Amino acid sequence: MRLPRLHARVSVHTKATVNVQGDAYACEVASLSVSGAMLVGGPRLDLGRELLMEIDVPVAPERKTLMLRAQVVRHQDLGGAELGIGVAFQGTTLETEGLLALAVTEAYKRLGARVLGQVRNEMQRRGVTDISAVADELQRIKEEQARAHLFAADLFTEEGSNAIAHIVSGTTGESRECIVWSLNLYLGLNRVPAVIEKVRAAVARYGTGAGTSPPSGGMSRLHNALETRIATMVGKPKALIFSTGYAANLGALSALPGPKDLVLLDRESHASMIDGVRLSGKKWLAFAHNDVADLEAKLEKYAPHHENVFVAVEGAYSMSGDLAPLREIAALKKKHKFFLYVDEAHTFGFYGDRGAGYCQAQGVTDQVDFIMSTFSKATASIGGFVACEEKYATLLQATATPYIFQACLPPPDAAAILAALDEIQNDASHARSLHENNRVMRAELSARGFDLGQSQSPVIPVYVPDLEKLYRLCAQLYLEGIFTVPVVYPAVGANEGRLRFIVNAHHTRAQIDRTVEVLARHARDLGILPENAAVHEAA
C-alpha cells in the first residue's frame, strides 16, 4: 500500500493573514505542503497576484508563526459558493521548509489510519455493514482528501522515469530536480537508444494495441518470439506471456491448485501471489520469511494430507531486499513432494548467466517447476511470464482467467522487451554497473551505521522504526532533491518502517555519495544515527 507522501498537501485547517498591497485579510489554510497552500474564506485574488502570508502552523509541542511570500497560481471550485485559492510559496529557506515539513508531519499524524482501503474494515469492526452507509463514509473521506490533494497522486515526473528527474507538483506546478530512488528499472534500459529505436520500428509495423487476449488472436509474431526466447533463457520448455506481472502471478496461482491441494507461501510474498492463492479458493498457509526450518515443519505436518503441494517464494523480496535461500528450499524436494514456484521479478535480467535469473545463478533451475517474472523492471516495459513444462503451460492456457480474458500486452512493448533482452544478454556491463552501485551504496550506508536488515539485492531498505522521524527524514531528503518513498504499516510490520533506495545501473557515484551524505546528516540531526556517525563520513 502506498501512503501519502509528506510533500503532497494535507489538511491543516489553520488560520492565516494575507497581505495584498497593504490590505490584510483573514482566511483559512485548508491544505498545506512544503511548496504551497490552498486558502479559503478570503477574497478572490487574481492569478499571478503576489502576496505576503502570516501562517500559524502546528509544530509539536507548540505552534509557530511563519511569514511567507507567495503567488496565486490557481483557483479551485470547492462546491457551493466556496472558492479555493492555490498559492505557491516563493523564496523559502531550508529552515522554513523544514518547519513546513514538520507541520505536514503533524497533520499526517492526525490523519492516523484513515486510509480509504482500511475504512470499510474499521466500520465493520464497529458493526456498520450497510453498503450505503459505508459508501457514504468513503465518499466523504475521499472528498476531504481530494480537497487536500491526497486522494489522487499529486506528483509526477516531467519527462518520465530516470535516475534523475524533475518531480512536478500537479497542484502548484513547482518543479524540483531530484535523484530518484523509487523505481524498479534496475538496468535503466528504458533510456537506451537501441531499445527506443526498436520500439519505434515496432509501432510502425505492428501498430499500438493487441486488441484482444492471446487465445482470441491477440498474439503477434513478436509475442511468439518473446515466449520462445524467455523459455530458452530461463531453461524451461515453454513460457506464457501475461499482460502484467501481477496478472501472471494471479493467473498461475489461482489456476494451478486443485481441490485437494495446499499452497505454502513465504510470509513476505507479493500481494499478487497472495491474491492468486486466495482467488483459487484452495487451502493455503504462510511460513516464516526465508525460514527453511518452518517451511519443512509445515511440509511434514500438512503435505501428507494433500494431493499436491505448491511452495511459492520470491527470488528477492521487494520490501526487505533479501534473497531467498533457494538451494536449501529446493533441497527439501529430496524428502518432500511439492512443486516449487519462484517469482523472479526482482532478480530476472541481472542475476545468473547473461541475466537468466537467480534460479540459474543458484543452480536450481531443474528443481524449480515454475519460474515467473515481470517485464516492468529489468526489461523496462510491461507484462509478465510463467515458464514451466509444456503440459503445465497448456493447463494455464486453459484455466488461467487473466490469460484467457485479458488483452495481450501491446506489440511495441513486446519489442521493447526483446530489445532489452538483447542488451542484457549481449552487454554484461549493464548488470556489472548495477551490482557495483549496489555494493558501493551498501558500503557507504553501513559505514555510517544505518540498519539495512538482511538485504543483499539492489533494493536497499534503511530501517527507521520511529514513524515521525521516518516521515521527517523523507521530507528533508525531498527538500534537498532526493526522492524516495517511506514504507510503513500495514505494508510492513508496525515497528519496521523504512525508506527504500532502489539502485539502478544509471545512478552515478556522485548521486550515491550525495544521497548518503544528505541522508546521514539528517539522520544524525533526528537522532536516528549517533553523533559520532560523522566520523565515518569523514573517513
Side-chain angles (χ1 to χ4, degrees):
M1 183 187 68
R2 183 172 294 176
L3 293 182
R5 299 176 185 137
L6 272 179
H7 40 274
R9 290 172 179 264
V10 63
S11 297
V12 290
H13 300 294
T14 189
K15 300 299 181 183
T17 301
V18 173
N19 289 277
V20 183
Q21 294 181 336
D23 294 323
Y25 305 93
C27 59
E28 181 181 87
V29 179
S31 61
L32 180 70
S33 77
V34 171
S35 59
M38 181 66 68
L39 308 178
V40 296
R44 182 185 183 95
L45 300 173
D46 294 335
L47 292 176
R49 172 75 71 180
E50 294 186 352
L51 47 89
L52 289 173
M53 296 180 59
E54 184 177 308
I55 306 178
D56 289 328
V57 293
V59 180
E62 56 185 343
R63 300 184 72 85
K64 289 186 177 292
T65 300
L66 299 181
M67 296 295 296
L68 298 158
R69 289 191 297 110
Q71 183 178 46
V72 178
V73 293
R74 67 190 297 249
H75 296 146
Q76 181 174 332
D77 183 2
L78 301 178
E82 193 168 35
L83 177 71
I85 304 294
V87 300
F89 300 142
Q90 297 181 319
T92 52
T93 64
L94 281 176
E95 181 182 2
T96 300
E97 289 182 341
L99 290 172
L100 288 167
L102 287 176
V104 175
T105 299
E106 293 297 317
Y108 270 115
K109 289 169 66 178
R110 290 195 299 275
L111 280 177
R114 301 301 284 175
V115 178
L116 282 179
Q118 298 175 345
V119 170
R120 189 171 192 176
N121 290 337
E122 293 175 6
M123 296 182 74
Q124 287 174 347
R125 285 195 294 270
R126 300 198 310 266
V128 181
T129 56
D130 177 75
I131 189 66
S132 179
V134 172
D136 283 341
E137 178 69 359
L138 286 169
Q139 182 67 21
R140 184 190 66 77
I141 296 171
K142 185 189 85 169
E143 290 175 357
E144 178 182 341
Q145 291 184 350
R147 283 187 55 176
H149 303 280
L150 290 175
F151 182 70
D154 183 61
L155 301 177
F156 59 88
T157 59
E158 185 71 56
E159 295 181 340
S161 301
N162 209 348
I164 192 164
H166 282 87
I167 305 295
V168 184
S169 168
T171 303
T172 68
E174 179 200 28
S175 178
R176 187 184 295 270
E177 186 176 76
C178 292
I179 306 167
V180 181
W181 297 99
S182 60
L183 307 175
N184 292 308
L185 295 163
Y186 290 108
L187 302 178
L189 297 180
N190 64 317
R191 295 288 176 173
V192 171
V195 174
I196 294 169
E197 286 305 315
K198 289 181 180 179
V199 172
R200 285 178 177 148
V203 172
R205 180 175 179 183
Y206 295 94
T208 53
T212 189
S213 63
S216 302
M219 296 277 283
S220 69
R221 182 168 293 278
L222 283 173
H223 295 90
N224 182 262
L226 180 56
E227 287 189 339
T228 300
R229 186 162 181 181
I230 288 294
T232 301
M233 187 171 176
V234 302
K236 292 298 176 186
K238 179 69 175 175
L240 287 186
I241 302 300
F242 289 77
S243 298
T244 65
Y246 194 101
N249 271 334
L250 189 75
L253 291 173
S254 63
L256 287 171
K260 301 178 182 179
D261 297 349
L262 170 69
V263 181
L264 295 173
L265 277 174
D266 186 286
R267 193 176 299 280
E268 288 196 11
S269 292
H270 191 265
S272 58
M273 301 171 75
I274 297 171
D275 285 351
V277 295
R278 283 175 171 166
L279 183 62
S280 76
K282 309 307 185 294
K283 185 175 180 180
W284 68 280
L285 296 169
F287 62 91
H289 177 53
N290 274 350
D291 191 330
V292 178
D294 187 46
L295 171 59
E296 184 168 22
K298 287 182 167 58
L299 285 168
E300 290 176 347
K301 183 175 181 178
Y302 298 107
H305 307 292
H306 295 86
E307 187 169 1
N308 301 292
V309 176
F310 298 86
V311 173
V313 300
E314 296 185 51
Y317 289 84
S318 60
M319 294 298 169
S320 56
D322 48 1
L323 297 164
L326 290 186
R327 291 176 183 167
E328 292 85 348
I329 292 172
L332 295 178
K333 298 183 83 171
K334 296 175 182 177
K335 294 172 59 178
H336 305 279
K337 180 183 176 183
F338 62 88
F339 293 93
L340 181 53
Y341 183 106
V342 179
D343 177 334
E344 290 231 40
H346 294 273
T347 50
F348 174 71
F350 51 94
Y351 281 92
D353 183 33
R354 301 178 72 203
Y358 196 57
C359 292
Q360 194 274 342
Q362 294 294 294
V364 297
T365 297
D366 290 344
Q367 291 104 312
V368 176
D369 302 282
F370 301 92
I371 296 176
M372 172 272 167
S373 186
T374 178
F375 293 127
S376 63
K377 296 178 173 54
T379 47
S381 184
I382 192 69
F385 71 84
V386 177
C388 54
E389 286 187 41
E390 188 160 1
K391 64 182 181 181
Y392 296 125
T394 300
L395 172 65
L396 292 176
Q397 285 176 309
T399 58
T401 52
Y403 185 85
I404 299 168
F405 296 107
Q406 191 173 29
C408 287
L409 61 125
D413 288 296
I417 298 162
L418 286 165
L421 293 177
D422 287 341
E423 293 288 328
I424 288 168
Q425 295 190 296
N426 299 328
D427 187 351
S429 68
H430 299 297
R432 280 199 304 269
S433 295
L434 170 65
H435 291 301
E436 177 62 10
N437 282 346
N438 183 29
R439 184 194 67 77
V440 168
M441 190 163 189
R442 285 182 175 282
E444 292 198 16
L445 290 168
S446 296
R448 287 158 177 78
F450 284 105
D451 180 4
L452 310 183
Q454 302 300 312
S455 62
Q456 295 171 269
S457 80
V459 175
I460 306 179
V462 171
Y463 287 86
V464 184
D466 185 307
L467 184 62
E468 180 179 356
K469 290 181 179 181
L470 174 65
Y471 280 147
R472 289 173 63 183
L473 180 60
C474 188
Q476 294 296 337
L477 290 177
Y478 174 71
L479 293 177
E480 295 206 37
I482 296 165
F483 181 81
T484 188
V485 179
V487 181
V488 298
Y489 179 85
V492 294
N495 298 313
E496 298 175 0
R498 67 200 73 172
L499 295 177
R500 276 195 313 169
F501 295 88
I502 304 175
V503 182
N504 75 45
H506 286 193
H507 283 122
T508 67
R509 180 63 184 267
Q511 290 166 355
I512 292 172
D513 290 346
R514 170 160 173 75
T515 297
V516 173
E517 183 275 320
V518 173
L519 180 65
R521 173 159 38 88
H522 288 294
R524 288 194 300 271
D525 291 344
L526 290 167
I528 297 167
L529 290 181
E531 285 296 325
N532 61 10
V535 174
H536 296 295
E537 185 176 333

